[in-house]
Amino acid sequence: MKSFYTLFLAIILANMLTAQKVTIVGNYSEHVVSMCAQGCEFYEIGVFRLTKSLPIDEKTRLELVYQRSVPMVVTGELKIVQDLPTVAGPQADTEYMGKYVDVEHFEAESFEVVNIVKTSISEQDFASYTDKKDYSIKVTVLNPTDRELKLKIRTDFNKFENFKIEPKGESSVICFVKNDGWSSNIKLMLTEQSVQEDDIFKHAYEQGKKSGFLFFYEDYIEIKNITKY
């Protein structure tokens, strides 16, 4: 009987170590690697790799195809699972061809498509963009959660700017963009202020695991398509 309870306790502890509840606010995306022999399809929310694709409806599927990603709040568990590593490219390392390895992936339990970012640009700044001069855009960030968010934002590789949003509230930030003379879009990144910037993806992942919550949003903004004011 003692050995039974020892085994039962070991199973419980193993589950505790390999499964952790996490809520993620970020962009859901689906990827297919070209010239690939194994592990060619993968799915992400924020900086987390999912165990499988989300069962999104047809409207969201079309938005995903057009926008490349869809903003969501996803709740689930981090788990250690067995998966085939991606083997791609003409000079791919085939050591793990056909071999499953232990990896940590996110298994979604629930998800909701939400609005996170609205962007706009003044007529004057749009004229500056058209004339290949530096310009600014207005980014309004919506908080779909019941907690106060302390976030930071940047466009392209500029310096991050800190701001806060009340629960279910919104906040606007004016972001400077250096015009390189040819790009028609800019990269927008949003994450929590506490995420370190020396290896931002790694630190975001570690913080999400540790705290059970992560806000991490990346998107490309097409300047010609955003709202003018």
Side-chain angles (χ1 to χ4, degrees), residues 12-215:
I12 293 176
L13 290 174
N15 286 333
M16 290 174 63
L17 290 172
T18 58
Q20 179 185 352
K21 292 281 188 181
V22 181
T23 296
I24 305 169
V25 181
N27 272 35
Y28 170 70
S29 56
E30 300 182 353
H31 306 269
V32 179
V33 181
S34 62
M35 300 181 65
C36 181
Q38 173 182 287
C40 306
E41 297 183 8
F42 62 94
Y43 317 95
E44 292 181 316
I45 176 70
V47 295
F48 288 83
R49 182 77 64 91
L50 280 82
T51 56
K52 59 184 179 182
S53 62
L54 297 179
I56 56 180
D57 58 37
E58 188 61 28
K59 179 182 177 182
T60 306
R61 172 69 55 193
L62 291 174
E63 183 179 347
L64 179 63
V65 171
Y66 181 72
Q67 301 289 349
R68 294 183 292 182
S69 65
V70 178
M72 292 188 180
V73 177
V74 183
T75 299
E77 291 182 340
L78 279 173
K79 290 186 175 182
I80 303 297
V81 299
Q82 285 200 323
D83 199 4
L84 290 168
T86 299
V87 177
Q91 297 180 332
D93 183 356
T94 58
E95 179 184 356
Y96 290 100
M97 180 68 75
K99 298 179 182 179
Y100 283 86
V101 297
D102 288 339
V103 291
E104 189 172 51
H105 284 347
F106 184 80
E107 186 171 278
E109 296 176 354
S110 63
F111 67 92
E112 179 186 6
V113 178
V114 295
N115 292 321
I116 295 178
V117 167
K118 297 186 294 185
T119 54
S120 57
I121 187 170
S122 70
E123 293 288 353
Q124 181 179 350
D125 278 303
F126 186 74
S128 295
Y129 158 74
T130 304
D131 292 338
K132 302 187 186 309
K133 299 177 182 178
D134 296 343
Y135 60 97
S136 296
I137 64 170
K138 181 179 179 181
V139 182
T140 300
V141 184
L142 292 78
N143 181 357
T145 76
D146 293 320
R147 65 171 71 199
E148 181 186 66
L149 296 178
K150 295 181 179 180
L151 304 178
K152 54 186 176 183
I153 185 172
R154 75 178 181 193
T155 54
D156 294 328
F157 297 98
N158 294 324
K159 184 178 179 181
F160 276 103
E161 181 176 349
N162 294 343
F163 66 104
K164 294 192 295 186
I165 317 178
E166 297 298 318
K168 298 294 186 181
E170 62 179 59
S171 184
S172 295
V173 182
I174 301 297
C175 295
F176 171 79
V177 182
K178 185 171 181 59
N179 199 327
D180 58 17
W182 60 272
S183 294
S184 63
N185 59 33
I186 57 175
K187 184 177 181 180
L188 182 70
M189 178 179 283
L190 276 159
T191 189
E192 292 168 80
Q193 293 177 17
S194 53
V195 172
Q196 300 176 38
E197 297 167 28
D198 57 338
D199 190 342
I200 197 164
F201 298 98
K202 176 184 176 182
H203 287 300
Y205 189 94
E206 292 174 347
Q207 177 168 310
K209 281 185 60 176
K210 182 178 179 180
S211 67
F213 177 83
L214 180 68
F215 189 110

